[in-house]
Amino acid sequence: SFSTLAFESSLYWADMERAEYYIQKAIKLSNDEDRMKLKDDFESANLALSRFKEKAGFEKDEAKLLSSIIMNILESNNIRIKGISYIYEQNHEEKLNTYIVTAQCEDPSKIADMNMDLAFKLAEYDELLDKNFSAIIRGCSTNTDGGIAPCL
């Protein structure tokens, strides 16, 4: 439904207020079984983004800034986003807090170029320089059955 697509788009832009607005609309239009899944999807996405922002030391707008930088890079390369994920780990003394955007792109050279663009764009914003995070764009391909298969 339109509401579900708008919810997903809001997540890509790290706009949880808008995501909540659209998920509420989708919930109203859904059956009982789907309502629980939609609520769980929202809660899971909200928790993941909140945890990422907390570990990064982000303020509210800094997550939106990061998302907009990545979305603009994808858009300028005519690449579609397929999803967002987060990795939080602590091994020994190293802490990992990574924002991963999966894009529908099978060209390793293009993925590398977009990640270079991302690194340079992030360096342009002083408010992001002292934060504890990394961000990457990874590619994926479409399987013959139409599903998405990540390729790192």
Side-chain angles (χ1 to χ4, degrees):
S1 75
F2 171 78
S3 297
T4 305
L5 290 174
F7 164 69
E8 290 173 358
S9 179
S10 299
L11 294 180
Y12 298 155
W13 290 89
D15 189 341
M16 293 311 293
E17 294 83 13
R18 183 166 281 158
E20 185 172 21
Y21 171 80
Y22 285 114
I23 203 67
Q24 292 302 326
K25 292 220 176 262
I27 287 169
K28 287 179 185 177
L29 299 171
S30 301
N31 62 38
D32 288 339
E33 186 178 311
D34 289 341
R35 282 186 187 119
M36 288 306 294
K37 183 182 180 325
L38 290 169
K39 286 179 183 178
D40 289 346
D41 288 350
F42 174 76
E43 291 301 322
S44 177
N46 195 29
L47 178 63
L49 180 60
S50 295
R51 186 180 299 152
F52 172 79
K53 288 172 24 178
E54 177 187 329
K55 291 183 180 300
F58 276 10
E59 300 298 323
K60 177 179 161 182
D61 291 339
E62 291 167 333
K64 289 180 181 180
L65 173 61
L66 172 61
S67 296
S68 69
I69 291 168
I70 293 173
M71 294 299 288
N72 289 334
I73 290 170
L74 293 176
E75 185 177 299
S76 69
N77 285 278
N78 294 316
I79 302 293
R80 291 183 55 203
I81 187 171
K82 296 314 262 179
I84 296 173
S85 57
Y86 307 89
I87 295 177
Y88 321 101
E89 281 187 22
Q90 183 169 348
N91 294 326
H92 307 289
E93 293 185 28
E94 291 184 35
K95 295 177 185 169
L96 187 64
N97 187 35
T98 307
Y99 184 87
I100 303 167
V101 174
T102 303
Q104 189 170 348
C105 180
E106 297 181 55
D107 183 352
S109 178
K110 186 165 219 145
I111 294 292
D113 289 346
M114 288 190 295
N115 277 300
M116 286 298 292
D117 288 347
L118 176 58
F120 284 113
K121 291 281 186 198
L122 292 175
E124 292 176 11
Y125 294 90
D126 291 341
E127 61 265 43
L128 298 177
L129 293 178
D130 64 342
K131 304 301 179 183
N132 179 33
F133 77 98
S134 57
I136 61 168
I137 300 169
R138 71 177 183 176
C140 70
S141 62
T142 303
N143 292 337
T144 55
D145 65 0
I148 299 300
C151 56
L152 299 173

